[in-house]
Amino acid sequence: MTLIRDLDQASQVARGGAISIGNFDGVHRGHAVLLKQLRQLADEVGGPAVVLTFDPHPASLLRPDQAPVPLTWIERRADLLYRLGVDRVIACRPTAELLGLSATDFFQQVIRERLDCQAMAEGPNFYFGKDRQGDVEMLGQLCQRAAIPLRIVEPLDNQGQMVSSTMVRAAIADGEIQAANAMLTAPYRISGLVAVGSQRGAGLGFPTANLSDLQVLAPAAGVYAGQTWVGGTAYRAAIHIGPNLTFDEGQCKVEVHLLDFTGDLYGERLEVQFNRRVRGIVKFASVDDLRNQLGRDIATVRNEPLS
């Protein structure tokens, strides 16, 4: 499915359907509940199910120091949304002009005129327009005047708490990958470029791909079991995040050892999936102790199923 990058293009291919607007970062189970309702509305009005999201997050323009680290790069986010039954994903780049529209102007110019919206689905915490002046109550009034059906979808409950991107982000930042994955619609992934590292892993017998230019939030320091893909083939992966304490290195690194892979990955962009945390990082008394532990880590990862 194509990712629509601007509203001019959207006006040609995403009109006359049901729309949901939001960041949808991470595409978690709460989003899935909302999108199920969006799909039903689209079928009722006979048009496409459309998600209007933003890339980058509007806070990167309005409050750069408070902008959250993304959980998904935009292509990944779109793919996950399409898997949940969405027909069109519009990734709109926020501009001062767009973010400066009042709530009523945004509704009229974008929702009605550009997209010819026939139905909407939103969560109860939806805000729109300059300074977030529009809420679901105002949206309900605007939709009623325009004869546009609106469904406000209650968030999914997770042990007494609302499933949210904030909750997912906190779990990942704490290294609680299994908890995060339980809230997501697909296991968590990062994306990064393979850069030249210290070559120390190869010297230990466990060569690693050192990732730079990460596009999303890296989990907390630790060793993780996961997988990655090269040329369409899935490989189990042992992932080390954090400094190399045994060698007194303070720099935080993301190093990925692909089991049973041989080849040159320099300059390639890898997607790395996290399945579970194996252990924390420690300083070993000797290089031999480190090598032995790495061998045990690889044995543990080898028993992990590929998904």
Side-chain angles (χ1 to χ4, degrees), residues 37 40 73 97 102-103 151 163 217 275 277 279 287 305:
Q37 295 295 314
Q40 290 179 2
W73 60 99
E97 179 182 8
S102 68
R151 288 185 192 172
V163 174
L217 178 67
N275 295 336
R277 192 170 191 260
R279 63 174 175 86
V287 172

Side-chain angles (χ1 to χ4, degrees), residues 205-285:
F206 305 99
T208 60
N210 297 273
L211 298 190
S212 65
D213 188 34
L214 297 186
Q215 295 184 332
V216 294
L217 178 67
V223 175
Y224 297 85
Q227 62 194 71
T228 188
W229 295 261
V230 179
T233 300
Y235 293 89
R236 292 176 177 84
I239 309 146
H240 180 279
I241 297 181
N244 290 315
L245 300 178
T246 304
F247 298 99
D248 296 321
E249 291 183 357
Q251 180 185 2
C252 184
K253 299 179 180 179
V254 178
E255 302 170 291
V256 185
H257 174 71
L258 282 65
L259 276 65
D260 306 318
F261 173 82
T262 56
D264 183 357
L265 294 173
Y266 291 127
E268 298 287 333
R269 181 167 287 279
L270 287 186
E271 290 186 22
V272 180
Q273 176 173 300
F274 290 79
N275 295 336
R276 70 181 184 92
R277 192 170 191 260
V278 174
R279 63 174 175 86
I281 60 171
V282 295
K283 182 173 182 175
F284 292 93

Side-chain angles (χ1 to χ4, degrees), residues 21 26 46 64 70 77 88 127 153 155:
I21 302 171
R77 196 186 322 168
R88 302 282 188 272
Y127 294 92
V153 183

